[in-house]
Amino acid sequence: MKTLILSAALTSTLALTGAAHADKMMVKDIDVMTDMAAIENAKAAGVWKTVDGTLEEALLARLTDRISDKGAIITIDIDEVSLANNFEIANNLADSTLKGWVKIERTYDEKGEVVELPEELYELSVTALEAKAYYPEGTDMETVKVNSDVFYTAMIAAFADNVVEKLQ
């Protein structure tokens, strides 16, 4: 009897979970690309060298409950010039940005049925000002520099949240 009740409860939970995700875009794959060889500024290349993996991990952490074989493919091409420019304007952190092109390809609809939907392509730009919301509480803004872990982590988090927010 307990097994029957637990099975029914589990089935109900899975059905509700599936229904809750029915209106959200599921994701099959995430690929972030940056041509690090194109970044001529050595300091910028050193700081941003792991941006591909870090951004992919940040997106996966935010989309864990939306991973599916019948999901969208998200490809992000980070703007190398933007990364290098952050270091050229290091005296004015507010002008720093993390930019990239985001492409979303879907061959399945929200119900998992095969369809050919037009791909979405948009440029996403996150500024240092927007990223301040992601600084740890109590961060002294005067000490944050473009080569600091606080800045890097905040920019990645802001970018990842913006991508996830645009997924329906």
Side-chain angles (χ1 to χ4, degrees), residues 97-116:
T97 59
L98 175 57
K99 289 197 292 189
W101 285 94
V102 179
K103 181 169 73 170
I104 301 169
E105 299 173 85
R106 297 192 305 164
T107 54
Y108 297 94
D109 65 11
E110 287 77 13
K111 296 176 185 174
E113 296 177 17
V114 176
V115 292
E116 280 300 320

Side-chain angles (χ1 to χ4, degrees), residues 60-97:
L60 284 170
R62 287 159 174 79
L63 296 168
T64 301
D65 62 337
R66 294 168 62 177
I67 303 298
S68 169
D69 287 342
K70 295 182 178 182
I73 298 171
I74 300 170
T75 306
I76 300 172
D77 186 6
I78 298 297
D79 181 352
E80 297 83 9
V81 173
S82 168
L83 296 181
N85 284 345
N86 287 335
F87 284 81
E88 292 171 13
I89 58 172
N91 293 332
N92 191 2
L93 187 67
D95 292 334
S96 297
T97 59

Side-chain angles (χ1 to χ4, degrees), residues 4-131:
L4 180 59
I5 293 171
L6 287 175
S7 294
L10 181 59
T11 302
S12 295
T13 302
L14 290 174
L16 289 173
T17 302
H21 294 298
D23 61 340
K24 293 183 179 181
M25 184 184 302
M26 302 305 282
V27 176
K28 178 180 180 177
D29 189 33
I30 300 169
D31 186 28
V32 179
M33 301 172 289
T34 308
D35 182 3
M36 295 310 290
I39 300 178
E40 295 179 8
N41 184 312
K43 288 182 182 178
V47 169
W48 293 101
K49 68 183 173 196
T50 61
V51 68
D52 295 358
T54 307
L55 185 53
E56 282 180 23
E57 288 172 10
L59 287 164
L60 284 170
R62 287 159 174 79
L63 296 168
T64 301
D65 62 337
R66 294 168 62 177
I67 303 298
S68 169
D69 287 342
K70 295 182 178 182
I73 298 171
I74 300 170
T75 306
I76 300 172
D77 186 6
I78 298 297
D79 181 352
E80 297 83 9
V81 173
S82 168
L83 296 181
N85 284 345
N86 287 335
F87 284 81
E88 292 171 13
I89 58 172
N91 293 332
N92 191 2
L93 187 67
D95 292 334
S96 297
T97 59
L98 175 57
K99 289 197 292 189
W101 285 94
V102 179
K103 181 169 73 170
I104 301 169
E105 299 173 85
R106 297 192 305 164
T107 54
Y108 297 94
D109 65 11
E110 287 77 13
K111 296 176 185 174
E113 296 177 17
V114 176
V115 292
E116 280 300 320
L117 297 171
E119 71 181 33
E120 295 176 47
L121 180 66
Y122 62 92
E123 185 176 35
L124 176 60
S125 181
V126 173
T127 66
L129 184 61
E130 294 168 310

